[in-house]
Amino acid sequence: MGESGAIFRVFGVFWGEGGRLYLWFMRKGIKYIIAGVCALGLSTLVAQDLVSVRPLNIPKMWGMGVNVRHFGYDAALMMEQPGLRAVKTQQLWLGVMKDPREMRVLNERLPGSTSFAIERVTHNIALRYQWGRSVILSDRQSRGDVGLRLNASVQAPVNYSWPLYVWLYQPAPLTDGYTAVAYDPAVHDVGLVGGTARYGLGFSQGKFTPGLGGLVSMQAEWGSYRNVVSRLVLGFGVDRYVKKLPMWHRPEMNRNFFPSVFVTFAVGFDYGQRQTVYPTP
């Protein structure tokens, strides 16, 4: 029960019903995925010797990726250029930032209402540039092999936050309706909020917040041919911003440190045409 006699339906997960599967995966399912990836990679490692340190004349490989992490989801463009002892990696990620504490509700007493997040006052997107190195633990020698790599990267995230607008119900006689306002729980009666307004509304009023971070990950790769690569990546990363991001109305709920487990799915991730030329002995 909310203010003004409002009755709320609580969704309880920050991505709606689909978020239940994600939260279960982050809490329980990820250990099974990690075990499976390690088993596949190590099985290939047992069947062959570790790759010797040698320079490879390999053109740059471009790819695309998507991932899911504890604080949102991202899409990326990436490039690889193998060096003398490790593969040089560069990635540019753009994604939406979420908070697992977010709770969405629906005011069932307002006509045509949609769900909104209680006390969430900004939208947040983040641009991340990553630069790192991948060590090849197990190389793919044929179509049936699974390669295994260990990656370490530093990243420079920049967050952009802008006001979150909601539809505020105006109960005027004969002319009642909704008005889009920048949400302020201290001013606006939550019982009169009829949902979140257009996502890009108020975008020009936002502010940038830079930060610094890093990550480590285990990468399993496979493909039908040597020059076509698909990957599944499991890792852990951290971002620290220069100040707390203003996601919430209550300052004590805001944070500037974001540790997260992330999973990059193989579908559409990091594949591209490459031609491998080994140096002459």
Side-chain angles (χ1 to χ4, degrees):
M1 181 74 70
E3 298 179 25
S4 301
I7 295 179
F8 293 110
R9 182 196 306 168
V10 180
F11 293 94
V13 288
F14 69 102
W15 283 345
E17 295 302 321
R20 297 184 187 278
L21 178 60
Y22 167 74
L23 292 177
W24 174 88
F25 176 77
M26 284 300 181
R27 292 167 184 161
K28 298 181 180 180
I30 193 169
K31 62 183 179 182
Y32 301 111
I33 301 297
I34 292 175
V37 171
C38 291
L40 287 173
L42 291 176
S43 65
T44 305
L45 181 60
V46 171
Q48 62 183 12
D49 295 331
L50 284 172
V51 178
S52 59
V53 176
R54 53 189 176 183
L56 301 178
N57 182 19
I58 302 177
K60 295 178 180 179
M61 192 274 290
W62 293 87
M64 296 185 298
V66 293
N67 80 10
V68 179
R69 53 193 167 78
H70 200 52
F71 290 97
Y73 45 89
D74 309 86
L77 294 175
M78 52 198 67
M79 180 186 70
E80 291 186 358
Q81 176 63 66
L84 180 62
R85 292 180 173 83
V87 179
K88 302 175 183 178
T89 63
Q90 297 183 66
Q91 303 179 5
L92 186 64
W93 292 89
L94 178 64
V96 175
M97 294 195 67
K98 295 285 187 177
D99 193 314
R101 297 171 297 177
E102 182 175 311
M103 180 178 295
R104 301 190 68 85
V105 299
L106 176 68
N107 192 338
E108 296 186 323
R109 285 197 172 179
L110 293 180
S113 62
T114 58
S115 66
F116 68 99
I118 293 181
E119 295 199 358
R120 179 74 183 265
V121 295
T122 63
H123 293 293
N124 294 265
I125 58 175
L127 182 69
R128 293 178 176 80
Y129 172 73
Q130 294 178 359
W131 178 88
R133 293 289 187 271
S134 291
V135 176
I136 300 176
L137 303 178
S138 174
D139 198 15
R140 293 189 307 119
Q141 301 296 334
S142 64
R143 296 184 187 182
D145 285 345
V146 176
L148 193 65
R149 298 183 180 188
L150 178 65
N151 176 268
S153 301
V154 294
Q155 58 187 9
V158 178
N159 179 83
Y160 186 72
S161 305
W162 71 96
L164 186 152
Y165 276 69
V166 297
W167 293 114
L168 189 68
Y169 184 66
Q170 306 289 339
L174 303 179
T175 59
D176 62 326
Y178 290 103
T179 302
V181 297
Y183 187 35
D184 184 352
V187 175
H188 302 128
D189 183 351
V190 69
L192 297 177
V193 176
T196 304
R198 182 166 53 87
Y199 184 76
L201 197 60
F203 185 82
S204 62
Q205 305 170 28
K207 296 181 179 180
F208 290 98
T209 306
L212 188 65
L215 60 90
V216 292
S217 65
M218 189 68 72
Q219 306 174 348
E221 68 171 33
W222 66 93
S224 300
Y225 301 94
R226 289 269 308 162
N227 61 344
V228 178
V229 179
S230 297
R231 285 196 186 141
L232 176 65
V233 180
L234 305 173
F236 177 78
V238 295
D239 288 330
R240 180 178 288 276
Y241 293 90
V242 296
K243 62 180 181 180
K244 293 183 177 181
L245 302 185
M247 290 185 175
W248 299 97
H249 168 63
R250 287 184 289 168
E252 63 270 20
M253 293 184 65
N254 293 321
R255 65 178 77 189
N256 69 333
F257 183 66
F258 293 85
S260 64
V261 174
F262 65 88
V263 179
T264 303
F265 294 97
V267 178
F269 171 68
D270 198 40
Y271 64 91
Q273 301 296 320
R274 67 166 97 184
Q275 296 179 351
T276 304
V277 180
Y278 292 95
T280 303

